Amino acid sequence: LQISEVTSNNNNGLRDADGDSPDWIELYNATNTALQLGNYYLSDRPNQPLRWALPDAELASGTRVTIFASGKDRREIEGEWHTNFRINADGETIVLTDASAGIIDRITLDPLRNNQSIGRSTTSPSGWRRYEPENASPGKPNTDEGEPYVAAPQLTVSPGIYPSAQFLSVRDRKSTRLN
């Protein structure tokens, strides 16, 4: 199970049954077997990984489910699913975890423009792409039409003027040293 696509600034794009256009998270079952989703959780707070439990439903192999990040907290198996949190449009990390709080997948989002999404590439599942609104594809396979996406790096030294030389490291948001 993996996060396949996310938007944090849904502005009259995909609508829910109430007519609202909340942000959304798409999950994809990339395994060869059906998965019981009741053992998985989504959160926008990595330090609270069990924030929203997925419904105890089955997701067939090779299929997707789109979950609205609306704060409405709905888990009816036959209806739309809505998390108990919203995604911050200024950017944040979304985590998918198992029942023991082990991280299965994560994506760190930078701010997105209206109706842009970040999705996993179909030709390189470990790569992410930024999709313009016309290429966002909730509930459908992602395309390779978007531009490659990497979250903004973090610097270990703040910008400024220093009296002596400074050692600078560049890290991604998972604290992996890039240089």
Side-chain angles (χ1 to χ4, degrees):
L1 187 63
Q2 63 187 23
I3 299 170
S4 178
E5 192 172 0
V6 180
T7 191
S8 63
N9 199 359
N10 187 9
N11 186 9
N12 296 317
L14 182 64
R15 293 189 178 272
D16 66 13
D18 299 331
D20 299 328
S21 52
D23 301 330
W24 48 265
I25 302 165
E26 178 189 72
L27 300 179
Y28 174 60
N29 179 358
T31 72
N32 292 324
T33 60
L35 294 173
Q36 291 299 323
L37 298 181
N39 297 322
Y40 296 95
Y41 295 78
L42 283 170
S43 180
D44 63 336
R45 297 180 186 163
N47 62 343
Q48 293 179 337
L50 306 180
R51 189 155 185 217
W52 188 76
L54 272 70
D56 193 19
E58 182 175 280
L59 186 62
S61 172
T63 61
R64 293 167 168 70
V65 61
T66 302
I67 302 165
F68 290 106
S70 66
K72 296 177 184 180
D73 196 15
R74 296 181 186 163
R75 291 187 193 98
E76 298 85 17
I77 292 175
E78 296 301 320
E80 291 177 339
W81 300 348
H82 291 255
T83 65
N84 59 354
F85 62 86
R86 293 182 176 102
I87 304 173
N88 186 331
D90 291 331
E92 67 180 338
T93 298
I94 303 299
V95 294
L96 171 66
T97 61
D98 60 21
S100 65
I103 294 178
I104 304 297
D105 201 3
R106 71 186 301 146
I107 177 67
T108 298
L109 303 169
D110 287 331
L112 298 174
R113 292 191 313 268
N114 286 344
N115 301 318
Q116 275 187 326
S117 67
I118 301 298
R120 228 177 256 284
S121 167
T122 53
T123 57
S124 175
S126 62
W128 292 90
R129 300 188 90 69
R130 182 186 307 260
Y131 296 110
E132 294 302 323
E134 62 274 10
N135 293 320
S137 58
K140 300 177 202 160
N142 298 339
T143 68
D144 282 335
E145 296 297 316
E147 63 185 61
Y149 173 77
V150 177
Q154 295 178 326
L155 305 178
T156 57
V157 176
S158 298
I161 299 173
Y162 295 90
S164 61
Q166 300 293 307
F167 179 77
L168 172 68
S169 288
V170 180
R171 299 180 180 274
D172 68 12
R173 293 198 183 180
K174 294 180 188 175
S175 296
T176 304
R177 188 173 167 177
L178 301 176
N179 64 342

